[in-house]
Amino acid sequence: MFAARSLFHGTILISLLSCSSPVVENDTDQDGARPTYTMDHHSHSRPNEAVITHLDLDVEVDMDEEEVRGTATYDIQAEDTRSIVLDTDGLFIDEVTDANGAPLEFELGDSTFLGRALKVMLPTPTKRVRIAYHTGKGAKALQWLAPQQTADKQHPFLFTQGQAILTRSWIPVQDSPGIRFTYNAKVKVPAGLMAVMSATNPQQHAVDGVYRFKQEQPIPAYLIALAVGDLAFKSVDERTGVYAERSVVEKAAWEFADMGTMLKTAEGLYGPYRWSRYDVIVLPPSFPFGGMENPCLTFATPTILAGDRSLTALVAHELAHSWSGNLVTNATWNDFWLNEGFTVYFESRISEAIHGPDYAGMLQQLGRQDLLNTLVDIARSKHPEDSKLRLDLEGRNPDDGMTEVAYEKGAAFLRLLEAEVGRPKFDAFIRDYFDRFAFQSMTTDKFLGHLQEHLLTPNHVVIDVAQWVDGVGLPSNAPTPISDRFDKVDHEIQRWVEGVPARELATSGWSTFEWMHFLRHLPQPLTEARMDELDAAFAFTRSGNAEVLAAWFEQCIRNDHDAAYARLDDFLNTVGRRKFLVPLYTAMLDTEKGRIMARTIYGTARPNYHSVAVHTIDELLAWKDTHPPVNF
Ligand code: BES
Ligand code: ZN
């Protein structure tokens, strides 16, 4: 919802290689038995010929060698075909056999930005295939952390990030959001560490370091996730709880005390939660996202532990994905807005139900500010068409198209639909949509057909859907979010401009959102004396709230307030959340002094970031790494 997803776009280096591989849309054929799939340009797999239906993963996590090794055994459903194709990226394939251990021939295709296709020959109809493999150095999904990079500084840590096309870098798999399968996993980790996954999870350490997992609902590959560390668990209520390092877990449980209420609120809106438990793991600060909706277990950044429960909308967002995204899934990354636009809409409904319309209104306004900034950037970029809801990412890294547009323009479209038919009818429509298409994938076309038939036509609503979905920019009938709380902030800014000292401004009772709005709307430029005055009055540089701190640092960079630079350096060396990194490094690029500072800080911070953040910031700073990770 906040700042800098807006700045993700346009920062990714794209291989020119385009790929003509099949895949996706899950649609059942006439008798309803076999799904058919439409094309996914970001996977090599050919699910209409042979598709995986279940994965048995048996791996050992070697924290010293920074390697995952073991076997992935698949149940497959094959038509009249003699091969199955999976995705890999930087994996070493050691052996491929059938269920009886008989070797199967395989070949690896050329390496592109999509990785390498793994084609396994099936000489006779084969129902099960086993692949023995190990990961390479620099596997893109994995971030291996030294003890020093964790909160407790005693043990190493590992986490994975699958979305969008990174799971193939640690498991050979048909890595397309339109292909769903169940999984079981056996994961061996060093004694003393604990493993958790996007599945049923342990709540205690296993003495032998062996953990077993089950994900009984069919999910796409991007939702397979693993974290390993010296974790502790604390329950919040009977269905929810938190995992974190020992020194963090109490704080996290306090911060997320509302999780059970959020879950019940979400169910009240759109029907039963279908994933048994809902837990959150708070990861070390290098986690590149705010949150990731891994089923049963949201992965989250510790930068939402503000100490005052003010940043928990992120939990509402990731929880909402249990319906929008994990239950009804974008069929390809071109349909990403179906995941994120619905989720932002849903998140806002949860926030409104729990905290009231004022609170939700502030979040919506911050989201709209982000969207408008993003739209300006996109209009000036090489890809002005990225401001459409329906994307065309063929030949590009899908990460490139994942901007604020999917989130905020997507949510605005749904708010418009709600305004047209009224909330009761819209809620019934959404709830039915989740039920009807549960555990299936959805293309934009299929959604639009369903929308027309089940909402627009019956309610005699005429709107220009094509302009919203296939047009650039934000249509003029987008509903405007309202919040008089921000009007009050604007008023205080005006008073400061007119000479009222900062410490006399009426800021008492302001939430994080009001402070963010304040910091985003300060007059420019600001003198050293004015920056000092603000910091003396509000102690921004010492703030423990990462959102406030990041918004303040942006002002410090723009106004060369060097009193904050030591703290900025420390922040950028510790926090790897891309939404904070992008605006801060971008702001530094505006001046020569800033450019030098950006390169100096990045030189030391880069090894602390996950590959997706490294990829983005390398591009932003035109960084040439002299020691690239060896993948093959
Ligand atoms: N699924 C996304 C994270 C993501 C998007 C990972 C694209 C990889 C590619 C997650 O649900 C998300 O949107 N996280 C936001 C926070 C949220 C409150 C908007 C983030 O990380 O900033
Ligand atoms: Zn999301």
Side-chain angles (χ1 to χ4, degrees):
M1 291 293 299
F2 308 134
R5 278 191 316 256
S6 45
L7 294 151
F8 290 177
H9 80 90
T11 58
I12 311 291
L13 182 68
I14 305 306
S15 158
L16 289 173
L17 213 142
S18 103
C19 146
S20 58
S21 61
V23 183
V24 172
E25 175 182 348
N26 240 352
D27 210 350
T28 42
D29 61 12
Q30 293 304 63
D31 55 30
R34 248 189 84 81
T36 57
Y37 303 83
T38 51
M39 167 87 84
D40 174 5
H41 291 289
H42 296 108
S43 170
H44 293 101
S45 47
R46 301 178 198 159
N48 286 320
E49 296 173 17
V51 69
I52 59 185
T53 58
H54 177 79
L55 159 67
D56 281 308
L57 189 69
D58 183 350
V59 291
E60 175 169 2
V61 178
D62 187 331
M63 304 293 279
D64 295 325
E65 293 300 316
E66 302 192 342
E67 188 176 295
V68 175
R69 66 180 89 89
T71 59
T73 305
Y74 288 100
D75 289 350
I76 62 182
Q77 243 178 34
E79 285 298 285
D80 187 19
T81 180
R82 290 284 169 257
S83 62
I84 182 166
V85 184
L86 295 95
D87 295 292
T88 72
D89 189 1
L91 290 180
F92 292 88
I93 305 300
D94 300 319
E95 189 188 35
V96 183
T97 62
D98 67 12
N100 305 316
L104 296 173
E105 260 183 63
F106 65 92
E107 59 193 41
L108 281 164
D110 292 342
S111 181
T112 76
F113 74 106
L114 298 177
R116 305 173 77 178
L118 169 64
K119 184 172 182 183
V120 177
M121 313 310 156
L122 309 172
T124 51
T126 308
K127 294 235 151 32
R128 237 166 124 76
V129 169
R130 170 164 306 171
I131 303 167
Y133 73 98
H134 62 279
T135 56
K137 291 274 172 264
K140 291 173 191 150
L142 308 179
Q143 190 174 8
W144 304 91
L145 299 174
Q148 202 49 36
Q149 293 168 279
T150 66
D152 293 349
K153 318 250 181 263
Q154 300 296 315
H155 298 275
F157 202 103
L158 164 71
F159 66 80
T160 68
Q161 166 58 38
Q163 197 178 13
I165 56 168
L166 304 181
T167 298
R168 64 189 72 177
S169 75
W170 76 283
I171 308 174
V173 67
Q174 290 187 318
D175 193 5
S176 169
I179 300 175
R180 313 180 81 91
F181 50 93
T182 51
Y183 78 82
N184 295 338
K186 178 175 157 227
V187 179
K188 182 165 173 32
V189 303
L193 298 189
M194 186 168 172
V196 289
M197 291 190 81
S198 51
T200 52
N201 274 307
Q203 294 182 347
Q204 263 145 18
H205 282 226
V207 193
D208 58 359
V210 176
Y211 294 87
R212 289 188 163 76
F213 305 91
K214 253 187 199 316
Q215 177 49 265
E216 288 175 324
Q217 307 287 28
I219 60 164
Y222 79 90
L223 293 176
I224 305 178
L226 168 70
V228 178
D230 183 15
L231 296 169
F233 172 79
K234 189 167 166 61
S235 70
V236 170
D237 72 357
E238 58 294 340
R239 268 195 303 175
T240 66
V242 293
Y243 292 86
E245 290 183 69
R246 291 168 194 282
S247 67
V248 179
V249 74
E250 293 290 337
K251 185 174 185 202
W254 184 88
E255 200 87 27
F256 303 148
D258 266 353
M259 280 167 74
T261 314
M262 285 184 187
L263 183 45
K264 285 185 198 112
T265 306
E267 289 183 309
L269 284 165
Y270 298 133
Y273 178 76
R274 313 201 191 201
W275 306 88
S276 66
R277 293 191 57 84
Y278 179 72
D279 296 314
V280 173
I281 178 171
V282 177
L283 295 162
S286 65
F287 185 59
F289 296 104
M292 177 64 213
E293 66 270 25
N294 298 314
C296 308
L297 183 65
T298 283
F299 281 30
T301 170
T303 61
I304 50 170
L305 301 179
D308 60 3
R309 298 181 179 157
S310 64
L311 299 176
T312 55
L314 182 132
V315 174
H317 177 96
E318 305 311 335
L319 169 66
H321 272 303
S322 306
W323 288 259
S324 45
N326 299 359
L327 198 56
V328 184
T329 308
N330 53 204
T332 73
W333 299 117
N334 289 338
D335 308 301
F336 183 59
W337 77 277
L338 293 175
N339 273 19
E340 297 299 345
F342 274 72
T343 300
V344 170
Y345 175 83
F346 192 170
E347 167 204 334
S348 174
R349 293 292 305 277
I350 297 171
S351 290
E352 184 188 316
I354 296 180
H355 301 290
D358 253 15
Y359 182 99
M362 287 193 289
L363 272 164
Q364 286 181 24
Q365 280 207 349
L366 291 169
R368 179 60 57 87
Q369 292 167 11
D370 293 336
L371 175 61
L372 296 177
N373 290 333
T374 299
L375 289 174
V376 171
D377 291 348
I378 292 180
R380 290 193 195 128
S381 75
K382 294 200 294 241
H383 290 287
E385 73 281 8
D386 283 353
S387 68
K388 298 176 178 179
L389 285 180
R390 189 200 325 246
L391 297 166
D392 177 8
L393 298 171
E394 185 178 356
R396 297 167 66 192
N397 185 328
D399 218 31
D400 195 17
M402 295 175 163
T403 72
E404 204 66 38
V405 170
Y407 291 77
E408 293 296 337
K409 184 176 170 182
F413 180 45
L414 299 180
R415 287 185 194 121
L416 172 67
L417 296 173
E418 181 199 323
E420 290 288 333
V421 300
R423 188 166 270 191
K425 280 187 181 155
F426 191 61
D427 279 352
F429 169 76
I430 298 284
R431 187 173 176 148
D432 171 72
Y433 169 76
F434 289 139
D435 283 342
R436 201 184 285 243
F437 300 108
F439 302 107
Q440 294 179 36
S441 59
M442 181 60 59
T443 61
T444 298
D445 263 344
K446 188 167 165 183
F447 171 70
L448 294 183
H450 181 75
L451 175 71
Q452 191 63 50
E453 186 182 338
H454 294 273
L455 193 75
L456 302 184
T457 305
N459 292 295
H460 314 288
V461 173
V462 181
I463 51 169
D464 192 347
V465 172
Q467 188 201 6
W468 272 90
V469 174
D470 293 312
V472 296
L474 185 67
S476 56
N477 58 351
T480 306
I482 26 180
S483 150
D484 66 344
R485 284 172 64 172
F486 282 177
D487 296 342
K488 293 188 182 133
V489 175
D490 293 336
H491 180 67
E492 294 309 308
I493 294 174
Q494 193 49 39
R495 289 179 64 219
W496 187 57
V497 168
E498 285 161 7
V500 177
R503 85 176 68 79
E504 287 174 24
L505 298 179
T507 61
S508 87
W510 277 10
S511 70
T512 299
F513 305 140
E514 278 133 330
W515 284 115
M516 287 170 72
H517 184 81
F518 179 81
L519 286 164
R520 287 177 177 197
H521 292 86
L522 290 172
Q524 300 294 317
L526 287 167
T527 61
E528 191 60 22
R530 290 296 257 170
M531 291 294 285
D532 282 338
E533 185 197 347
L534 287 175
D535 214 4
F538 306 123
F540 290 131
T541 307
R542 281 184 282 123
S543 172
N545 183 315
E547 292 284 354
V548 169
L549 206 48
W552 169 243
F553 286 148
E554 219 176 309
Q555 293 296 333
C556 294
I557 296 165
R558 297 210 183 286
N559 294 289
D560 196 21
H561 181 61
D562 51 17
Y565 286 168
R567 187 83 210 276
L568 170 67
D569 187 328
D570 182 53
F571 183 86
L572 289 173
N573 270 285
T574 321
V575 174
R577 186 174 171 189
R578 193 164 63 168
K579 148 179 151 163
F580 293 142
L581 304 186
V582 174
L584 293 176
Y585 282 108
T586 303
M588 284 189 262
L589 291 182
D590 271 355
T591 63
E592 187 52 31
K593 177 179 174 185
R595 275 193 288 279
I596 294 167
M597 186 159 83
R599 296 188 72 79
T600 310
I601 295 177
Y602 190 51
T604 59
R606 190 176 183 275
N608 298 334
Y609 296 160
H610 184 274
S611 79
V612 300
V614 167
H615 191 60
T616 305
I617 309 299
D618 275 4
E619 183 71 2
L620 191 65
L621 302 186
W623 187 267
K624 302 262 184 304
D625 185 20
T626 44
H627 303 286
V630 184
N631 247 343
F632 302 104

